[in-house]
Amino acid sequence: MKGVILAGGYGTRFLPATKTIPKELLPIIDTPAIDFIVDEMVQSGIKQILIVSSRRKKALEDYFDREIELENTITNPAQLDKLKTSAQTREDVKIYFIRQQEMRGTGHAVLLGKEFLDGPFVLAFPDDIIFSDVPLSQQLMEAYEKTGKSILAVMDCSGEDLSRYGVVEPSGESIDPIFNLKAIVEKPKKGTEPSQFISIGRYLLTPDIFPLLEEGYRSSSDVEYYLTDGLNQLAEQNKLSACQFTGQRYDTGEPFGYLKTITRYALTRKDLKEEYLQFLKVVINNEV
Ligand code: G1P
């Protein structure tokens, strides 16, 4: 299976930093946010990953390239290891790039992957990082083995404000972790949500999506054309299901979520955890 990561967006929530730094490269301590997603895919057995970027995101291509000058300068083996991105720890993993030349929406961006893809693929939006025992892409692949349909990764957010998300409408009971979908409603107003399940930025899509996106994009008069339109058509054809994954989602796409991600990651790091916890205690006790 192949992977696609959409990384063309402007990242306006992080201005002014994103005037020059792609939001996908904002570091979660020392590792760019996008590398967590690449790592999730690599750990799931995905070996070819396409990053849909844009002309403002040149640094992304440099990040995934080798840094020969530093390789020749650094002598300490531990530091040399730190030079490697997660994909570079495996010889058989390849990262590819294509540029989205106009920001015409997620549906348009996914279409750019058509020629690279030759079957079902995992699609990631760049903001969501998942901490889980089984990598999320793998969970979706296992769900696909069972249903043969395109799958949305969903989580139960009952009681929360869902108006920032796509909220799914199950077509029957949603008691199992995998269930069929009737529709997805983008950013529903409070009180109109079709369920308590939000779709997060991770999908396993079959090539059935492409003719739907092509037709939708051709006939759309809007500047931006969204993936959700194609997903709703898949749902109409009874070809869309949802997988309630296990793990915790962190949204690096907005400042507070970014801060939480850094905290969560710091607490998994042996070299930082104890000192950081001590520091947090001091902060909480108002001693700084
Ligand atoms: C996108 C999707 C939405 C999903 C969200 C998850 O929205 O369109 O369905 O719930 O990502 O973060 P965006 O955040 O791009 O507005």
Side-chain angles (χ1 to χ4, degrees):
M1 187 149 328
K2 294 180 179 176
V4 175
I5 304 176
L6 301 189
Y10 294 124
T12 49
R13 291 196 190 106
F14 282 92
L15 285 170
T18 42
K19 276 167 75 182
T20 53
I21 307 169
K23 71 168 175 176
E24 296 79 9
L25 289 184
L26 290 176
I28 309 301
I29 306 179
D30 47 14
T31 303
I34 194 170
D35 219 1
F36 285 80
I37 299 177
V38 169
D39 192 52
E40 173 200 309
M41 289 183 170
V42 170
Q43 298 301 332
S44 303
I46 292 174
K47 296 196 171 79
Q48 290 170 296
I49 300 171
L50 176 71
I51 298 180
V52 181
S53 72
S54 67
R55 65 177 292 113
R56 303 178 68 258
K57 302 284 183 93
K58 296 183 178 79
L60 273 175
E61 291 175 42
D62 289 345
Y63 176 73
F64 287 100
D65 198 356
R66 278 177 64 187
E67 219 326 354
I68 296 286
E69 222 174 289
L70 279 181
E71 280 177 29
N72 292 335
T73 310
I74 295 174
T75 48
N76 177 335
Q79 270 190 323
L80 261 180
D81 263 359
K82 284 208 73 163
L83 252 186
K84 287 189 179 144
T85 69
S86 59
Q88 285 166 342
T89 58
R90 312 267 180 117
E91 278 185 4
D92 52 354
V93 172
K94 282 209 167 73
I95 308 284
Y96 300 82
F97 286 89
I98 189 164
R99 285 188 184 181
Q100 191 177 10
Q101 296 181 343
E102 295 175 278
M103 291 303 114
R104 300 285 311 265
T106 49
H108 173 243
V110 174
L111 272 175
L112 294 175
K114 188 182 166 201
E115 279 159 29
F116 168 79
L117 296 161
D118 47 15
F121 60 102
V122 173
L123 172 72
F125 286 7
D127 293 346
D128 290 325
I129 289 181
I130 313 300
F131 291 90
S132 58
D133 293 338
V134 180
L136 177 55
S137 297
Q138 187 182 326
Q139 293 185 43
L140 293 179
M141 285 150 80
E142 286 165 3
Y144 173 70
E145 289 297 313
K146 292 188 185 134
T147 66
K149 296 182 184 183
S150 290
I151 318 260
L152 270 53
V154 300
M155 58 188 258
D156 188 338
C157 287
S158 40
E160 292 175 35
D161 175 14
L162 311 187
S163 62
R164 270 194 52 204
Y165 300 104
V167 181
V168 300
E169 181 175 354
S171 55
E173 290 276 319
S174 53
I175 35 172
D176 296 327
I178 301 170
F179 50 90
N180 285 328
L181 293 182
K182 203 172 179 179
I184 167 168
V185 181
E186 267 310 319
K187 324 279 188 294
K189 287 211 176 72
K190 208 170 166 32
T192 67
E193 305 89 350
S195 75
Q196 73 274 28
F197 294 104
I198 66 157
S199 154
I200 69 149
R202 213 66 101 250
Y203 313 79
L204 189 150
L205 299 175
T206 67
D208 290 337
I209 193 77
F210 287 118
L212 303 174
L213 290 179
E214 273 167 340
E215 179 49 32
Y217 180 64
R218 232 190 333 263
S219 56
S220 165
S221 52
D222 297 335
V223 177
E224 298 206 346
Y225 175 67
Y226 293 103
L227 172 67
T228 307
D229 294 345
L231 295 177
N232 268 320
Q233 282 183 279
L234 278 182
E236 268 172 38
Q237 298 172 4
N238 193 23
K239 288 180 179 166
L240 191 66
S241 47
C243 168
Q244 222 185 316
F245 63 94
T246 52
Q248 297 130 27
R249 162 188 180 258
Y250 284 81
D251 180 0
T252 61
E254 47 92 18
F256 187 51
Y258 178 66
L259 188 57
K260 287 199 276 189
T261 314
I262 291 175
T263 298
R264 172 66 170 79
Y265 181 50
L267 297 176
T268 67
R269 292 264 301 241
K270 286 199 189 82
D271 58 336
L272 297 171
K273 181 177 171 181
E274 288 312 320
E275 238 180 311
Y276 187 51
L277 277 174
Q278 288 306 322
F279 170 72
L280 288 178
K281 281 182 196 149
V282 171
V283 172
I284 289 164
N285 292 328
N286 281 326
E287 288 165 20
V288 287

